[in-house]
Amino acid sequence: MNLLREKLAKYDTPQKAKAAGIYPYFREIESDQDTEVIINGKKVLMFGSNAYLGLTNHPKVKEAAIEATRKYGTGCAGSRFLNGTLDIHVKLEERLAEFVGKEDAITFSTGFQVNAGVISCITGREDTIVWDELNHASIITGIRLSLSNRLKYRHNDMESLEKQLQKCDPDKVKLIVMDGVFSMEGDIADLPEIVRLAKKYNANIMVDEAHGIGVLGEQGRGTCNHFNVTDDVDLIMGTFSKSFASLGGFIASDKDTINYLRHHARTYIFSASCTPASIAAADAALDIMLTEPERIENLWKLTRHALDGFSNMGCEIGSTSTPIIPLFIRDNDLTFTIVRDLFEAGIFVNPVVSPAVAPQDTLIRFSLMATHTIEQLDFALDTIRKIFKQHNLI
């Protein structure tokens, strides 16, 4: 008897959803990642992407990736620590550090690896990590891998954060970690108050800017820049898989911190180096971010239009104020059903269900790109209105 297979075979939740015709995952896209995609030969509007600036199909980004592949090949065949450092890695790291306002930066092969590697090694056994309960899974993984003490505070609740800081040893390191923009709810961390509390309790701050860069701040420099607290934040993390239209991630900080991470972060030292194409694509995306401010302007024009539209039709959208708009359904199966109905009507959105969120907090994640048109957005709003009415949600 194969005990492992017997144990794993008991997991049949996906099979049940497929049998009910509401399984929403692994939909195969047969086209480029744009505002309109093709799935099973059918055109649908994409409102489930993280490409906030719409750069995944930009000619300059694609050409940069192609040229880097021609020059450097398809991969580095080793880690950054050994044979996997290219001159373009170093160049991009210097640019990223300057972009987010820090002394130095290092790139990782994925954004997930940044959080898992940095958080797990930067504090010790006697130190404490204090974290927002709605942080991204990569942050939580890093915390689980850490040997430090862990204290969780209620989402964006500064009174809860202060109570947790009061529990910490005043003579040991205290690292507060949170998303700048929360990936599912779309709300923004209260960084000014977090900074105030960090100063009061002599704590340090790490901000995950995965969904903030390209969206908030001057030229898309992120949440820290948006609140003018860059100098008060110790570590700034970013990913290439959103606004940078690529794959990878980075951490930026002071030179001493980056030197330590360069020689201790296991997901950096023992992972294959980020590919030449990915680095070149991110570098080209950064160029566009700096030279085409109209992209961010249009993203916010669309965001305001969408937020007004959903509010006016009576949707429950929580505290979002960004291009990430949660449409709360508060029922797992109904969330899957509505995602299916919207897809059949030509709209691609993502379900967020238990255990990713509590069962009573299930939602549809509706996200915008700068390249969407008002006409596409209005079609989506009208379609969602009709389907939500059919299910008595508005």
Side-chain angles (χ1 to χ4, degrees):
M1 180 184 295
N2 190 319
L3 294 177
L4 177 63
R5 289 183 61 183
E6 182 180 355
K7 176 182 177 179
L8 301 183
K10 294 177 182 178
Y11 175 65
D12 61 356
T13 303
Q15 295 92 311
K16 290 178 180 177
K18 289 177 182 178
I22 56 173
Y23 184 74
Y25 303 119
F26 302 104
R27 289 172 279 183
E28 297 179 20
I29 297 174
E30 302 159 358
S31 63
D32 49 16
Q33 184 79 232
D34 213 332
T35 60
E36 187 178 78
V37 299
I38 299 174
I39 299 176
N40 294 330
K42 174 185 176 181
K43 289 183 178 180
V44 294
L45 291 176
M46 171 56 73
F47 286 98
S49 174
N50 294 318
Y52 301 116
L53 296 182
L55 297 179
T56 54
N57 203 31
H58 195 290
K60 292 181 180 178
V61 175
K62 292 196 291 186
E63 187 59 31
I66 292 168
E67 285 302 315
T69 302
R70 288 196 180 107
K71 180 176 180 179
Y72 298 98
T74 56
C76 298
S79 71
R80 288 290 305 279
F81 204 63
L82 298 175
N83 65 300
T85 293
L86 303 175
D87 54 354
I88 56 174
H89 286 111
V90 178
K91 173 195 169 189
L92 179 59
E93 288 167 346
E94 291 172 349
R95 295 192 70 199
L96 289 169
E98 180 182 7
F99 180 66
V100 299
K102 291 299 176 186
E103 292 180 349
D104 203 357
I106 50 175
T107 55
F108 289 65
S109 297
T110 69
F112 196 105
Q113 287 178 317
V114 179
N115 284 334
V118 171
I119 297 169
S120 62
C121 81
I122 202 166
T123 55
R125 291 179 182 272
E126 296 180 342
D127 303 323
T128 302
I129 300 172
V130 188
W131 56 287
D132 189 293
E133 65 179 347
L134 294 188
N135 277 346
H136 189 265
S138 58
I139 295 176
I140 296 172
T141 295
I143 293 168
R144 288 175 175 173
L145 292 172
S146 173
L147 298 175
S148 302
N149 302 306
R150 310 122 184 222
L151 292 172
K152 178 172 63 175
Y153 63 93
R154 291 192 299 273
H155 176 52
N156 234 358
D157 185 326
M158 297 300 99
E159 182 179 350
S160 175
L161 172 57
E162 182 161 22
K163 287 180 179 178
Q164 298 295 54
L165 288 170
Q166 290 170 346
K167 299 176 184 177
C168 299
D169 186 331
D171 298 322
K172 301 300 180 182
V173 173
K174 298 162 286 295
L175 181 66
I176 309 170
V177 186
M178 82 299 301
D179 291 12
V181 175
F182 289 88
S183 59
M184 295 297 123
E185 295 76 16
D187 54 340
I188 303 171
D190 188 357
L191 278 182
E193 185 62 11
I194 291 170
V195 166
R196 186 188 72 80
L197 291 173
K199 290 179 178 179
K200 181 177 179 179
Y201 292 95
N202 192 27
N204 298 95
I205 302 172
M206 175 177 168
V207 178
D208 179 331
E209 289 277 27
H211 298 270
I213 288 179
V215 176
L216 292 170
E218 180 187 1
Q219 295 176 299
R221 295 173 196 266
T223 318
C224 300
N225 178 275
H226 171 73
F227 285 117
N228 195 29
V229 296
T230 297
D231 292 343
D232 300 305
V233 172
D234 299 276
L235 299 106
I236 295 176
M237 174 272 182
T239 182
F240 298 157
S241 58
K242 278 75 176 177
S243 292
F244 285 102
S246 184
L247 181 66
F250 71 92
I251 190 77
S253 187
D254 61 273
K255 288 187 179 296
D256 289 337
T257 299
I258 294 301
N259 176 61
Y260 180 87
L261 292 171
R262 189 177 277 122
H263 295 87
H264 287 82
R266 295 172 69 85
T267 58
Y268 176 79
I269 297 171
F270 298 107
S271 287
S273 179
C274 203
T275 66
S278 296
I279 291 293
D283 190 59
L286 180 55
D287 284 339
I288 297 167
M289 209 178 299
L290 292 170
T291 58
E292 297 184 14
E294 62 273 15
R295 285 183 176 268
I296 298 177
E297 291 169 7
N298 194 54
L299 178 63
W300 280 101
K301 177 184 176 182
L302 292 163
T303 298
R304 289 188 291 269
H305 188 75
L307 290 172
D308 288 344
F310 286 123
S311 295
N312 291 338
M313 76 171 76
C315 290
E316 184 185 356
I317 60 173
S319 301
T320 183
S321 57
T322 69
I324 301 169
I325 304 175
L327 305 175
F328 285 93
I329 308 299
R330 304 196 182 282
D331 178 278
N332 263 19
D333 288 345
L334 182 56
T335 300
F336 286 151
T337 299
I338 292 175
V339 167
R340 178 201 62 193
D341 292 350
L342 286 171
F343 180 77
E344 291 176 352
I347 304 294
F348 186 112
V349 289
N350 291 312
V352 182
V353 299
S354 176
V357 294
Q360 67 271 19
D361 293 331
T362 61
L363 58 91
I364 286 170
R365 184 182 186 275
F366 183 95
S367 54
L368 293 158
M369 291 183 274
T371 43
H372 279 122
T373 65
I374 288 291
E375 291 74 22
Q376 288 174 328
L377 178 53
D378 282 340
F379 176 81
L381 289 168
D382 186 57
T383 303
I384 290 170
R385 180 186 295 108
K386 291 175 182 175
I387 289 175
F388 274 36
K389 281 186 176 180
Q390 291 174 8
H391 291 282
N392 299 314
L393 286 169
I394 56 173

